[in-house]
Amino acid sequence: GGGVILVPALLFLGSAISFFPGLSPQEIVGLSVIMMIFTGLSSTLAYMKMGTVDYRSGFIFFLGSAPGTVIGALVNRNLDVPSFQLYFGLLLVFLSLLLLLRDRLNSVSWFVERGKKRVFHDRKTDKRYVYGYPLWFALGLTFIVGFASGLFGIGGGAILVPAMILLFLFPPHVAVGTSMLMVFLSAIVNSVTHISLGNVPWIFTLAVVPGAYIGAKIGAKLNQSIKSETLVLLLRIALLLFGLRSIYEGIFSS
């Protein structure tokens, strides 16, 4: 969804650069969730054209995440800056470790065997994938993802995609495309909640949206044609550094 990059970047710029406006955590999250409507829409349209969106799963995941985003947004309004930075920093460190360990973790078939099975035929590689999940677990997992999205302004794809690949055995491209459908739908609910709470700094949001929409289109195309090891390595390092800095600021600025 882009929030795992935008939110820590705005927190950093607001505290490190004197002429950059210091937005509150609530405003940063409000800005981020509006942006995710456009990154989610742009990406979803691109993946729909590629045929890598599982619509049924995307809507099921949305049903789990939507109430989570509302609750997360309501909890967010009670967080001061040090608390937000501490908790968000811990989340970023967790995500960086998840990306670091993702390739070393073994996929499990337990959830597929006990859930509704789905089949995807990759025409490019002529490979057949069988994946699936129990409905109750998918709803519970995406509720947690939605709560994190509403609380911290992240799309949730950084949490959901590894789970879809490792636990539900989704093909990677289908996991990304389906995740972006959930991000788009959840961002609409998330945005309505944050707008009603007065958390959206519109002038900065309007400045961010065009770049986010165009960037999402480019990213979706590159997803099909490049190996992502270098990008994922850079993302791991960035998340870890942002996370540690955020934890430090949360502890020592309180």
Side-chain angles (χ1 to χ4, degrees):
V4 292
I5 298 173
L6 181 67
V7 173
L10 290 178
L11 284 171
F12 172 76
L13 291 171
S15 62
I17 300 178
S18 58
F19 65 82
F20 193 89
L23 301 175
S24 70
Q26 287 73 26
E27 290 175 317
I28 291 174
V29 170
L31 187 160
S32 180
V33 298
I34 296 290
M35 178 200 73
M36 286 187 298
I37 293 178
F38 295 91
T39 58
L41 175 62
S42 178
S43 296
T44 301
L45 291 174
Y47 288 118
M48 286 170 62
K49 291 179 181 178
M50 299 172 193
T52 57
V53 177
D54 181 338
Y55 297 99
R56 179 180 181 275
S57 296
F59 284 110
I60 288 173
F61 296 163
F62 165 66
L63 290 177
S65 67
T69 63
V70 175
I71 296 173
L74 294 175
V75 173
N76 168 272
R77 63 182 176 175
N78 297 317
L79 290 180
D80 56 18
V81 174
S83 299
F84 182 87
Q85 289 188 316
L86 175 61
Y87 300 139
F88 188 67
L90 291 171
L91 176 65
L92 291 182
V93 170
F94 167 75
L95 291 178
S96 67
L97 294 175
L98 184 64
L99 288 172
L100 182 65
L101 296 174
R102 183 184 63 179
D103 296 333
R104 301 181 184 180
L105 296 174
N106 294 322
S107 300
V108 297
S109 57
W110 189 90
F111 295 96
V112 178
E113 293 169 355
R114 288 160 178 78
K116 179 73 173 178
K117 292 184 176 62
R118 311 277 290 166
V119 177
F120 175 76
H121 181 242
D122 191 334
R123 295 178 181 176
K124 287 185 177 180
T125 62
D126 198 31
K127 188 173 181 180
R128 182 175 176 270
Y129 294 87
V130 177
Y131 62 97
Y133 46 85
L135 181 61
W136 63 270
F137 187 84
L139 292 173
L141 175 64
T142 51
F143 176 86
I144 295 171
V145 170
F147 178 80
S149 180
L151 183 61
F152 296 117
I154 64 172
I159 304 172
L160 185 59
V161 169
M164 292 168 71
I165 294 171
L166 294 171
L167 303 181
F168 302 159
L169 305 187
F170 267 73
H173 292 324
V174 178
V176 174
T178 305
S179 169
M180 290 312 302
L181 174 60
M182 185 213 73
V183 167
F184 166 60
L185 296 174
S186 297
I188 296 174
V189 177
N190 208 354
S191 297
V192 170
T193 308
H194 280 283
I195 290 171
S196 68
L197 294 172
N199 291 345
V200 180
W202 287 106
I203 189 167
F204 298 106
T205 304
L206 294 174
V208 164
V209 163
Y213 186 86
I214 295 168
K217 277 192 172 298
I218 295 171
K221 290 182 179 179
L222 290 176
N223 176 270
Q224 298 291 311
S225 59
I226 67 170
K227 291 186 177 181
S228 60
E229 286 84 355
T230 302
L231 181 61
V232 172
L233 176 62
L234 293 174
L235 183 60
R236 290 168 183 161
I237 296 170
L239 290 179
L240 184 60
L241 292 177
F242 274 130
L244 292 175
R245 183 187 182 279
S246 188
I247 291 171
Y248 176 86
E249 290 288 332
I251 293 174
F252 291 101
S253 64
S254 58

